[in-house]
Amino acid sequence: MLHFSYNAFCLGALIFLSISFSNIIYVWLCRMWKVKIIEFSIFLNPFFSLLKKEINGSTYQLGWLPTGAYIKPLGMLKEDLGSIAREELPFSFFNKSRTKQMLFRLIPSLVWLFVLLLSLCTLKGPGNILQSTAEMLYYILVAIKTMFGLSAANELVMRTNNMLIDKNIISFALILLISIFLVLTSLSKIMSIYSRNGKNINWLIKLPGVIITIFGVYLTFWKIPTFVFSFFSFHQNVSYILSFTLGLYLIGSLVFILAMILVKLTTSNLRI
């Protein structure tokens, strides 16, 4: 029988709170640097959106796929520059300095590193963060060895039980998820480097990029999910996934409602 998992629900909520924190910083930077926001989306919206509203030239969307959120500033993509009106160029992303552009693009990674640091602090306290970091790094190394058949699964289970003694299971799971996210993000950055100006790159130089791409897809959609799910029963996996997704949807919906309230208040103040 399926049951609600409180830990999975909290984990989903914390993940989307972190994503929302990135968006809040994005909005703040756009306001401070006077960059126009074209799109603000909570959840991704392939094919359709659950809710879509245009306010002051900006589109606010509530998507249906709870795998992320994004903000699109004016002129974020180089191919959009040709379609920007001349009077709006001062408010475009590419009109800003390279330092500001780089900082803007680094925001998600910086937020995840900050959340990772806070999670490590909760394991043994702020004074023992180096010990917590060393323990988690060794645990992740054992997990990788087990995932690729270089270590017995029983050892990982035993080490997991030992790691969770007197520790917050939500913080523990959050650290693992963020670590996986940072690794996959690093792989995607490397892949993007090889994808630039693809026609001008020799096939020998392209080859590492192709290998990294295949390996990244393999890890993301097969190896890591099957490895994690193998330690739980089918009913537990379904329960954890549904509870985790519920946490994502709840926080995402609340953030979208809050954003709409703030936008409407700001618009009303401007009219006054």
Side-chain angles (χ1 to χ4, degrees):
M1 183 177 178
L2 297 179
H3 64 280
F4 176 77
S5 173
Y6 173 78
N7 289 333
F9 174 83
C10 290
L11 186 60
L14 287 172
I15 287 292
F16 212 86
L17 273 176
S18 302
I19 295 173
S20 300
F21 185 49
S22 297
N23 280 8
I24 290 170
I25 295 177
Y26 276 146
V27 171
W28 177 71
L29 288 178
C30 286
R31 294 271 185 181
M32 187 172 65
W33 295 339
K34 296 182 179 179
V35 176
K36 183 178 179 180
I37 297 174
I38 300 298
E39 290 183 16
F40 176 93
S41 181
I42 296 296
F43 303 144
L44 303 186
N45 52 346
F47 307 116
F48 68 94
S49 302
L50 297 177
L51 186 60
K52 189 173 183 178
K53 193 172 184 64
E54 187 170 331
I55 304 174
N56 293 336
S58 300
T59 302
Y60 296 84
Q61 301 176 103
L62 178 64
W64 59 271
L65 188 62
T67 54
Y70 68 90
I71 287 178
K72 182 182 177 182
L74 179 68
M76 183 74 171
L77 302 176
K78 288 184 178 179
E79 51 266 30
D80 294 338
L81 291 178
S83 60
I84 299 175
R86 182 176 298 179
E87 60 271 17
E88 288 193 326
L89 283 176
F91 307 103
S92 66
F93 177 76
F94 270 97
N95 190 53
K96 307 307 171 185
S97 66
R98 289 189 177 182
T99 302
K100 290 181 177 180
Q101 292 181 31
M102 183 179 297
L103 177 61
F104 195 89
R105 297 182 190 278
L106 286 175
I107 289 300
S109 297
L110 294 175
V111 168
W112 287 119
L113 287 172
F114 175 70
V115 176
L116 180 62
L117 181 65
L118 287 180
S119 301
L120 287 167
C121 286
T122 62
L123 290 183
K124 285 181 174 291
N128 297 310
I129 187 170
L130 292 179
Q131 183 181 352
S132 298
T133 303
E135 286 184 2
M136 286 303 304
L137 286 175
Y138 185 73
Y139 177 84
I140 292 172
L141 178 61
V142 172
I144 293 172
K145 287 182 177 180
T146 306
M147 185 166 59
F148 289 98
L150 301 176
S151 181
N154 291 338
E155 180 184 351
L156 180 64
V157 172
M158 181 181 68
R159 186 167 292 277
T160 303
N161 291 330
N162 292 336
M163 283 284 293
L164 290 176
I165 295 176
D166 298 328
K167 292 184 178 67
N168 189 321
I169 189 172
I170 298 174
S171 297
F172 178 79
L174 190 59
I175 291 170
L176 293 179
L177 274 180
I178 294 175
S179 300
I180 292 171
F181 171 80
L182 291 175
V183 169
L184 295 178
T185 300
S186 300
L187 288 175
S188 68
K189 295 294 184 184
I190 297 173
M191 287 154 46
S192 67
I193 292 174
Y194 283 96
S195 66
R196 293 172 188 167
N197 301 319
K199 294 181 180 179
N200 302 323
I201 299 178
N202 187 281
W203 70 271
L204 284 174
I205 302 176
K206 282 184 180 180
L207 186 60
V210 173
I211 294 173
I212 292 171
T213 300
I214 295 173
F215 182 65
V217 172
Y218 169 67
L219 284 178
T220 305
F221 297 103
W222 178 253
K223 194 64 179 178
I224 294 176
T226 55
F227 175 70
V228 174
F229 294 153
S230 66
F231 290 93
F232 306 98
S233 68
F234 174 78
H235 292 294
Q236 284 177 318
N237 284 322
V238 173
S239 172
Y240 295 158
I241 291 173
L242 290 177
S243 301
F244 180 84
T245 305
L246 181 61
L248 291 175
Y249 271 118
L250 178 63
I251 295 300
S253 301
L254 289 175
V255 169
F256 183 79
I257 292 170
L258 179 61
M260 288 294 93
I261 292 174
L262 291 176
V263 167
K264 286 186 176 295
L265 287 175
T266 304
T267 304
S268 300
N269 290 335
L270 288 175
R271 287 174 180 173
I272 294 173

